[in-house]
Amino acid sequence: MADAFKFELVSPERLLVSENVSEVVIPATLGEMTVLANHAPTMTTIKPGVVSVKLASGQVTKYVVFGGFADIVQDSCTLLAESAVPVTELNQDTLQKRIEATQAAIDNSNSDEHKTKLEQFLSELTHLNGIVVPA
């Protein structure tokens, strides 16, 4: 059995997970990242994507996050999400509303830098839409 470590997934709305886990896969900005016990200390930003959590019992649960950052140390990992929900609570309408709001923000943006960041976020949301809520 793999070593367990403490994992917490927190959003402004609620604490979604606070458990001992054996593995967490997070959508880091620079690519998907698997966190195990005794991981090297790391801090990374998170892009919209799916967080897969393998509990110490072996059960796997998944959550959708919409940005944030993760703080990883040897015996714990804390993911502070801008927004997060269990995959089972996400539906097509909710995701489509986020996509439309981001498109509206792009249309109203006066800064090229801000517009570029929003376009990247929109791309990630659109990709997430195809993964989490298949047509």
Side-chain angles (χ1 to χ4, degrees), residues 9-130:
L9 173 56
V10 183
S11 75
E13 299 85 26
R14 61 184 167 167
L15 173 67
L16 288 107
V17 180
S18 182
E19 296 279 344
N20 284 324
V21 302
S22 59
E23 177 181 307
V24 177
V25 180
I26 59 175
T29 304
L30 296 176
E32 211 169 70
M33 178 181 205
T34 301
V35 180
L36 302 169
N38 302 312
H39 195 286
T42 306
M43 186 171 280
T44 184
T45 53
I46 303 298
K47 66 181 181 180
V50 177
V51 175
S52 179
V53 180
K54 185 174 185 181
L55 300 175
S57 66
Q59 177 186 359
V60 176
T61 55
K62 295 185 178 191
Y63 302 86
V64 176
V65 295
F66 298 95
F69 71 93
D71 183 24
I72 304 162
V73 294
Q74 283 189 324
D75 61 352
S76 70
C77 174
T78 302
L79 196 159
L80 300 174
E82 291 174 15
S83 179
V85 295
V87 166
T88 56
E89 292 180 18
L90 186 68
N91 60 48
Q92 181 69 42
D93 290 338
T94 303
L95 201 47
Q96 189 60 40
K97 285 178 186 173
R98 284 184 182 268
I99 290 170
E100 290 170 3
T102 303
Q103 185 60 59
I106 290 169
D107 295 343
N108 295 323
S109 178
N110 294 325
S111 161
D112 287 339
E113 182 179 350
H114 187 242
K115 187 178 278 193
T116 299
K117 288 179 181 180
L118 287 170
E119 287 170 344
Q120 178 64 36
F121 187 73
L122 179 63
S123 173
E124 292 162 350
L125 284 177
T126 304
H127 178 72
L128 184 60
N129 190 28

